[in-house]
Amino acid sequence: MHELTKSPPPRRPDLHVATEGEFEGWRTWIRDSFESHVGPFWHRIEADGGVRSAFRVEKKHLNGSGNVHGGCYMAFADYSLFAIATHVLDSRAVTTNFSCEFLDAAREGELIECTGEVSRAGGSLIFLRGKMMSGERLLLTFSGTIKRMKRKPQPQPNA
């Protein structure tokens, strides 16, 4: 098992685990209203410690040509960056860099999945890369950088 995947993910109060349906046992974050609106996107930790994220393509994910909208691909890949980083991310963070290559189109009803890896996790920056698939078809490759946010000190009342 990779060194970065040995420890369990930190406890997050905004983590929701599905209790029924296709994604029973999968996790999602409920704090991000944009992702909740665009998704739902899901992730789970695999037996080998790797992370897999997924969503089922609905009509709302499609562009005018009937393919998954590129913005949906990118939003899901960004969600996947944070899922992939779950073992090394212990506080809030933001995406500072994102790059992708569109390789194939997906259509309504398809299951889209992402896997990836942490390339490097430093003090404030986490570098990642991943791929998006539908079955055996490679749809998108991506890489990104996440910056850990420093916790702001609580203001002290005047003494």
Side-chain angles (χ1 to χ4, degrees):
M1 189 180 308
H2 191 278
E3 183 67 27
L4 296 175
T5 61
K6 285 185 179 178
S7 60
R11 181 75 181 119
R12 293 186 52 162
D14 64 329
L15 189 65
H16 169 76
V17 179
T19 57
E20 61 187 21
E22 178 179 13
F23 294 101
E24 182 176 351
W26 291 62
R27 307 162 182 208
T28 193
W29 295 294
I30 56 176
R31 177 182 64 223
D32 192 313
S33 59
F34 177 79
E35 286 174 354
S36 297
H37 177 72
V38 174
F41 301 142
W42 300 92
H43 66 280
R44 70 177 180 200
I45 299 172
E46 304 281 55
D48 66 359
V51 177
R52 178 175 304 274
S53 51
F55 78 102
R56 179 70 64 185
V57 178
E58 299 175 24
K59 189 174 187 80
K60 70 178 182 175
H61 300 125
L62 305 179
N63 62 21
S65 297
N67 299 315
V68 175
H69 193 285
C72 181
Y73 271 5
M74 293 170 69
F76 178 54
D78 185 64
Y79 171 93
S80 296
L81 286 176
F82 286 82
I84 294 164
T86 196
H87 297 293
V88 296
L89 194 57
D90 54 2
S91 63
R92 291 187 181 236
V94 296
T95 304
T96 60
N97 185 40
F98 179 84
S99 177
C100 67
E101 296 78 35
F102 296 94
L103 303 172
D104 203 351
R107 314 253 322 156
E108 187 172 357
E110 290 187 58
L111 177 67
I112 297 182
E113 298 179 286
C114 277
T115 57
E117 64 184 1
V118 174
S119 305
R120 182 168 187 220
S124 65
L125 296 176
I126 303 168
F127 301 88
L128 308 103
R129 63 179 165 234
K131 62 183 180 179
M132 185 181 301
M133 311 278 294
S134 177
E136 297 297 315
R137 283 186 7 258
L138 184 59
L139 304 174
L140 181 99
T141 57
F142 61 94
S143 61
T145 306
I146 296 173
K147 179 171 179 50
R148 292 180 172 108
M149 302 300 294
K150 292 181 181 177
R151 296 187 193 272
K152 294 181 180 178
Q154 295 294 327
Q156 299 297 316
N158 293 336

